[in-house]
Amino acid sequence: MIDDSTEELKRRLEDLRTEHRDLDDVILRLSADIAVNQLQIGRLKKRKLSLKDQIARLENSLVPDIIA
């Protein structure tokens, strides 16, 4: 049986993935606008990269260690 902490991690992981996808959409829309603030896009890209790192850490914590 899966414990509550694992379920919480899975919910958090899904939230992070959703936010990551949403940021990707925002960045694409802003990049299409010629009068866009490049600093703002840079900050969004940094946030997206941070989310990607958090996603990777959570995914690694959910995968059990396999002894080879």
Side-chain angles (χ1 to χ4, degrees):
M1 183 171 187
I2 298 174
D3 62 1
D4 290 337
S5 62
T6 302
E7 286 300 318
E8 179 62 31
L9 286 176
K10 287 182 178 181
R11 280 191 295 276
R12 177 72 179 138
L13 183 58
E14 189 54 40
D15 290 343
L16 290 172
R17 287 178 176 154
T18 300
E19 186 178 351
H20 187 268
R21 275 191 306 271
D22 291 347
L23 271 177
D24 198 32
D25 291 341
V26 170
I27 290 168
L28 285 174
R29 280 189 312 230
L30 287 175
S31 296
D33 186 1
I34 202 134
V36 71
N37 183 347
Q38 292 299 317
L39 182 61
Q40 182 182 17
I41 289 178
R43 287 179 179 156
L44 291 171
K45 286 182 177 182
K46 283 183 181 181
R47 173 67 181 151
K48 185 178 166 194
L49 184 58
S50 172
L51 289 171
K52 184 178 178 182
D53 291 342
Q54 290 177 46
I55 289 168
R57 280 193 299 273
L58 280 177
E59 286 174 340
N60 287 336
S61 70
L62 287 172
V63 176
D65 291 333
I66 299 173
I67 300 174

